[in-house]
Amino acid sequence: MTAFDIDIKGRAGSFAIDAAFRAELGVTAIFGASGAGKSTLLKMIAGTARPSSGRIVVAGKTLYDSVSGIDLPPERRGIGFVFQDARLFPHLSVRKNLTYARWAGRRPASRPFGEVVSLLGLENRLDSDPATLSGGERQRVAIGRALLADPSLLLMDEPLSSLDKARRREILPYLEAIRTETGIPVLYVSHETAEIARLADTVVVLEDGRVIDSGPAATVLARLSLATGGDTEEAATLIEGRVTAVDPAYQTATVALDGGSIELTGTGFNAGTIVRLRVRATDVAIATQPHDGLSIRNQLSCRIDELRREGAHAMVVLDLGGQRLIARITAKSADALELAPGGRAIALLKAVSVEMARVEQSTRRPL
Amino acid sequence: MSEAEISIILLSAKVAFVAIACALLPAFAIAWLLARKRFAGRGLLQALVTLPLVLPPVATGYGLLILFGTKGPLGRFFDSLFGLEFAFRWTGAALAAGVMAFPLLVRPIRLSLEAIDQGYAEAARTLGASRLVVFLTVTLPLALPGIIAGAVLGFAKALGEFGATITFVSNIPGQTQTLSLAIYALLQTPSGDAAAMRLILLAIALALLAIIASELLARKLTRDRP
């Protein structure tokens, strides 16, 4: 089922927006730099900004269609919006904020209140004044408030960007829980590839109001990493695998990948869990043959797809049984090891540097 | 307290209360227009609303006399349509007090409306609330402290109004003689100093009571909300 189908033209300040994309269920991330038109796009979908022409269809319902003159007001679009700055009503308690869509918006109570409250861990804050909440709690209330509005689509406009690193880590599991437990399609705007890697099934890349790339998260993020090779911190790839064994004593999990198997740290995973790994290009080392006597236990045999030189550095694009891995090494090393496309190489992964997240359903598509 | 003193205080309270009760709604409407809308003549409206604050009160009173007197165009209009007379009546005193207090009502309400982040209204709309419901459940409660501040300030001004009142409706005991007018009248009589002092002390007591009451009200309405 198509969750939403969007094709709109309009203006956002000084530049034009001309974006068309559609998505299935799951989380669709809109990625783009600040000022790429991401927020304006969300406002147009929510109905608080008006496109100049186009069509917006969500869950089979036409919200906007310039040809047939349909333009539903925001309150009748059945959309949940989580804003960057939470926007909790300061004169209402947490409970009244959460239930606002029911008592003021007359939206149906299709989702049990207690279920949302426990999903977001807000049991103890219901009677609090929003001003007394921490940044993370505030954002959780904002998410709950949107969920309780019975939305057929949840829009999230950089919900983590106003939070510090620790708070982000606090919220991410809740966002993952929404994806896996509510089944509500999510349109998630962000300029953080790390967040997108963890949450998104589909990625749409927006630049100056236009869609320049879209597709399955792993594919688009790998292309993005190569395109933004200069941005060394962020270059990373996503690979998916299945947990085959766990070692509670060492708190490690063995993950089977298409091209081998690796051991990573992490708890709360069971055998059979499908996980998504985010591997930064700077955390992958390369060897031409297997090594003993190393602290790095994960050694994966890959084929070299591509070698890109960027000054003192080289980006080595590796093929691991169909999934992609990128290593960022020095140009000197690449020459010393005589790496070349088509050849074999061993990718060395430090277990502690890989981020692992659970996914409910595999979203992998062939690359 | 003598009977005369009690009737003076009751009259003053009635005049000020009616003045603010009648002025509050139009003051809110104009504050809302000034805070939210951009339209031709906005600057003129703003100047007009501020006028009673900067004009000599006697001039405002004279203007009211010309407009709302028995022969004035608005005076005849209200008399023939609603049987409402202003000249030399307590209703005229209330009108004068309301006009003089008007700018003091508008300003805090406008400031509080301007201070409300429009993002709250946007959020409320996406949660299913229509414009009217957003106004009732978000805008109005958030503007409440400003409305209370304006009403208290306006009430104080209405209670003590002198110049416009005496010019418009004169100083008639039992009809238009409010507290300040009574104090003024007593100070004009050779042996009235002691009686004037009693009224002044009463005025002080009344003012303190009003301040405490409004503080309590403001606290009740703004602090207990969540």
Side-chain angles (χ1 to χ4, degrees):
Chain A
M1 181 187 142
T2 302
F4 54 87
D5 188 349
I6 286 154
D7 181 0
I8 41 183
K9 292 179 174 57
R11 294 208 69 79
S14 58
F15 60 89
I17 283 193
D18 184 354
F21 55 93
R22 57 167 63 205
E24 314 288 311
L25 293 172
V27 176
T28 304
I30 300 185
F31 174 83
S34 311
K38 308 186 298 289
S39 296
T40 309
L41 194 63
L42 282 200
K43 283 180 170 222
M44 287 174 176
I45 297 167
T48 56
R50 179 168 291 159
S52 55
S53 68
R55 229 166 90 80
I56 299 167
V57 180
V58 173
K61 182 167 141 189
T62 304
L63 307 182
Y64 175 83
D65 187 350
S66 55
V67 175
S68 48
I70 297 170
D71 184 9
L72 294 184
E75 64 267 27
R76 288 178 48 211
R77 295 199 171 195
I79 273 172
F81 205 133
V82 179
F83 299 90
Q84 208 175 91
D85 49 349
R87 298 193 189 174
L88 302 185
F89 304 124
H91 59 298
L92 300 173
S93 65
V94 166
R95 185 193 301 275
K96 282 247 164 188
N97 263 285
L98 284 169
T99 53
Y100 185 85
R102 292 188 182 170
W103 60 268
R106 306 197 167 254
R107 293 267 173 93
S110 56
R111 203 170 297 281
F113 178 73
E115 198 176 273
V116 172
V117 168
S118 67
L119 177 74
L120 293 163
L122 291 168
E123 294 92 339
N124 299 321
R125 304 318 302 261
L126 288 178
D127 296 311
S128 304
D129 181 333
T132 65
L133 300 182
S134 72
E137 285 172 331
R138 225 169 289 169
Q139 210 50 272
R140 265 146 63 195
V141 175
I143 293 165
R145 186 175 69 172
L147 279 177
L148 287 164
D150 187 41
S152 49
L153 171 65
L154 206 52
L155 304 177
M156 296 197 178
D157 188 5
E158 307 204 24
L160 304 185
S161 69
S162 62
L163 305 175
D164 58 43
K165 263 209 162 113
R167 295 283 92 71
R168 285 180 197 203
R169 237 173 279 144
E170 171 198 324
I171 300 283
L172 272 165
Y174 294 109
L175 294 178
E176 285 172 335
I178 287 170
R179 183 181 65 185
T180 54
E181 284 170 39
T182 66
I184 300 173
V186 177
L187 195 54
Y188 187 98
V189 158
S190 178
H191 62 263
E192 296 279 337
T193 42
E195 273 169 50
I196 291 179
R198 211 167 144 177
L199 296 170
D201 302 306
T202 311
V203 177
V204 174
V205 184
L206 207 64
E207 195 178 286
D208 295 331
R210 279 162 199 284
V211 176
I212 56 165
D213 195 2
S214 68
T219 319
V220 175
L221 286 175
R223 281 201 286 260
L224 214 57
S225 287
L226 292 173
T228 58
D231 185 4
T232 51
E233 290 301 313
E234 278 309 312
T237 45
L238 278 188
I239 47 180
E240 235 171 53
R242 179 187 293 273
V243 176
T244 52
V246 287
D247 183 347
Y250 285 106
Q251 300 190 348
T252 58
T254 307
V255 179
L257 307 168
D258 287 352
S261 129
I262 58 175
E263 206 174 1
L264 300 168
T265 54
T267 50
F269 299 98
N270 302 317
T273 311
I274 297 199
V275 290
R276 180 181 280 186
L277 313 176
R278 180 166 185 266
V279 188
R280 275 182 293 272
T282 46
D283 290 332
V284 181
I286 292 207
T288 44
Q289 57 198 45
H291 278 264
D292 287 329
L294 282 179
S295 71
I296 304 176
R297 299 163 55 83
N298 297 315
Q299 310 195 356
L300 296 162
S301 173
C302 309
R303 189 169 59 84
I304 300 174
D305 251 359
E306 208 183 331
L307 190 68
R308 291 194 193 187
R309 286 164 186 285
E310 287 151 7
H313 300 111
M315 296 285 256
V316 187
V317 183
L318 302 164
D319 180 293
L320 174 67
Q323 302 206 65
R324 207 168 242 199
L325 208 56
I326 300 176
R328 187 174 172 86
I329 57 173
T330 61
K332 198 168 183 176
S333 301
D335 284 343
L337 296 174
E338 295 174 350
L339 301 180
R344 306 287 308 175
I346 309 284
L348 306 176
L349 265 67
K350 281 188 75 171
V352 293
S353 66
V354 175
E355 293 168 38
M356 177 157 61
R358 173 200 309 272
V359 280
E360 207 65 4
Q361 254 182 326
S362 175
T363 54
R364 248 185 74 208
R365 269 152 262 195
L367 288 173
Chain B
M1 264 196 288
S2 74
E3 220 168 279
E5 283 166 348
I6 291 174
S7 80
I8 288 169
I9 286 168
L10 286 180
L11 176 69
S12 301
K14 179 169 80 172
V15 164
F17 183 80
V18 169
I20 299 310
C22 293
L24 204 53
L25 204 64
F28 185 87
I30 286 178
W32 190 84
L33 274 178
L34 291 173
R36 293 286 167 84
K37 299 288 167 196
R38 297 288 171 268
F39 53 93
R42 182 170 169 273
L44 191 71
L45 180 66
Q46 198 170 338
L48 212 64
V49 167
T50 322
L51 214 53
L53 201 62
V54 290
L55 222 54
V58 178
T60 306
Y62 185 62
L64 287 172
L65 193 59
I66 291 172
L67 288 170
F68 289 92
T70 25
K71 299 233 168 61
L74 289 171
R76 267 184 300 191
F77 172 78
F78 278 100
D79 192 12
S80 63
L81 227 70
F82 311 105
L84 189 60
E85 276 183 69
F86 293 107
F88 309 112
R89 297 288 187 90
W90 75 269
T91 47
L95 176 63
V99 168
M100 291 303 288
F102 203 72
L104 299 175
L105 282 175
V106 171
R107 197 171 162 73
I109 298 176
R110 183 187 147 188
L111 290 178
S112 73
L113 284 172
E114 280 172 350
I116 299 173
D117 186 347
Q118 286 288 84
Y120 294 129
E122 194 180 352
R125 293 291 299 279
T126 65
L127 291 165
S130 64
R131 276 177 203 282
L132 179 68
V133 173
V134 171
F135 178 78
L136 293 175
T137 59
V138 177
T139 314
L140 207 54
L142 288 178
L144 203 58
I147 296 172
I148 293 172
V152 169
L153 208 59
F155 188 79
K157 172 74 187 167
L159 210 55
E161 216 300 308
F162 179 80
T165 311
I166 201 165
T167 314
F168 180 32
V169 291
S170 184
N171 192 346
I172 305 164
Q175 187 62 248
T176 67
Q177 194 176 69
T178 57
L179 201 50
S180 6
L181 269 61
I183 293 170
Y184 173 74
L186 283 170
L187 289 174
Q188 298 300 101
T189 47
S191 57
D193 288 25
M197 191 51 83
R198 279 178 60 94
L199 279 182
I200 290 168
L201 289 175
L202 268 175
I204 292 172
L206 208 63
L208 284 175
L209 255 169
I211 290 168
I212 292 166
S214 70
E215 269 302 312
L216 289 177
L217 180 72
R219 208 171 291 173
K220 180 151 183 53
L221 286 173
T222 55
R223 296 275 165 80
D224 300 353
R225 275 181 297 181

